[in-house]
Structure formats: structure tokens, C-alpha cells
Amino acid sequence: WTRGHPYMVQTLCDALAPAHISPPQVPPGQESEYVSSLVERLFLQRSQVRNPNLDYAEKCFARGDSDPRLGKMLALYARLSRGERVVADGRDPIQGALQLTGMAAPRSSNTERVLQIRNRIFATVFDAAWVRAKQSERFLSEPIHRWQESGQNSDFVLRGDALLEA
């Protein structure tokens, strides 16, 4: 589930073996289901208290953020979520920015390094439905932001086919 993500591993281990009580007695053969239920409770349930790593990644794609890289980061993440092979490039600013969100990491694959979604937790929380929702938000928010940045210049108002599509 965590693929070695330090904070997520620590959170999961803390839940597995709390210091103040003896470790839970998990019936043999049910370890995987037990860990999966903990992951569900600690990371995947939508509640008021979410994991800070997941919250940070979500905030990086917040609707009001005007970072021009966000559209490209979202497109790259969409490719990764579809399982496309993306060669890791340490000089690519979009890959670097996506890695800083915590959502992606370079991994060794045969003879090359490829960029992949960081772990199953990120892949589950930030799934295809999340990508579609964020892409839809950006489709409307980017033209609005350009219009506001232009001082509400009428040249930046959506018209014609662009307005119909929006």
C-alpha cells in the first residue's frame, strides 16, 4: 500500500502496534485483509481528519491556484493513472513539480527509470474520477483566471464554440 512512503509507513506501523497496548491478534492468513482495513480507515475514508500528505497533494491542485504548470502536471498524472510508460527525466520541471506533490516517484524498470504513481494509496485517492473532476475544474477556472489577470479585458471572455464547450 505505501511502497515505502516514510510517513505513511510510520502511520500504518503505529496503528498496527500501538506503544500503549499489546499488538492486535490477527488470525493467520488474514494479515493482508487486516492491513487493508487499516489503510482504509487511516488514508482512504473521507473524513474531517485526513492524512497530511494526501491533503498537501490535493491542495497543490486547488481550484484557485494559478500556477501555469498545473494543467501539464494534471495531464502527466492522468497518463500515469492510465498506466502509460513515462521515462523519468530529472530535468523536466513538470515531472519535478508532480514529484514534489508526493503523487509520483521515479522507479527503476529493467534498464531505465520510469515515473509512476507513488503508491496504491495515492492511486486510490487520486483515481480517474478525481482526474476528470480536476480537468473539468481547470477547463473553466483557467479562462476565468486569464480574464481576471487581464484586468477583465473583454478579449479574454469565452465566446462561440469555447463558451458552448464550457
Side-chain angles (χ1 to χ4, degrees), residues 3-73:
R3 200 158 184 192
H5 188 289
Y7 182 82
M8 291 179 173
V9 168
Q10 185 177 10
T11 302
L12 191 54
C13 288
D14 187 51
L16 283 167
H20 60 283
I21 59 173
S22 61
Q25 298 301 313
V26 181
Q30 294 184 9
E31 296 86 359
S32 179
E33 292 84 5
Y34 185 77
V35 169
S36 293
S37 69
L38 281 177
V39 167
E40 175 73 30
R41 182 172 55 88
L42 295 169
F43 301 106
L44 305 180
Q45 286 182 348
R46 295 282 183 184
S47 67
Q48 292 181 343
V49 178
R50 285 247 328 239
N51 178 276
N53 295 102
L54 299 173
D55 281 343
Y56 176 76
E58 181 75 39
K59 287 176 186 173
C60 288
F61 287 91
R63 184 180 212 165
D65 197 328
S66 61
D67 187 339
R69 300 174 301 174
L70 287 182
K72 292 177 182 178
M73 289 167 54

Side-chain angles (χ1 to χ4, degrees), residues 80 84-89 95 105-109 112-116:
L80 297 176
E84 288 185 30
R85 185 176 190 79
V86 176
V87 175
D89 180 355
Q95 286 190 19
R107 306 274 187 222
S108 294
S109 173
E112 63 186 353
R113 297 207 20 104
V114 295
L115 194 64
Q116 295 179 340

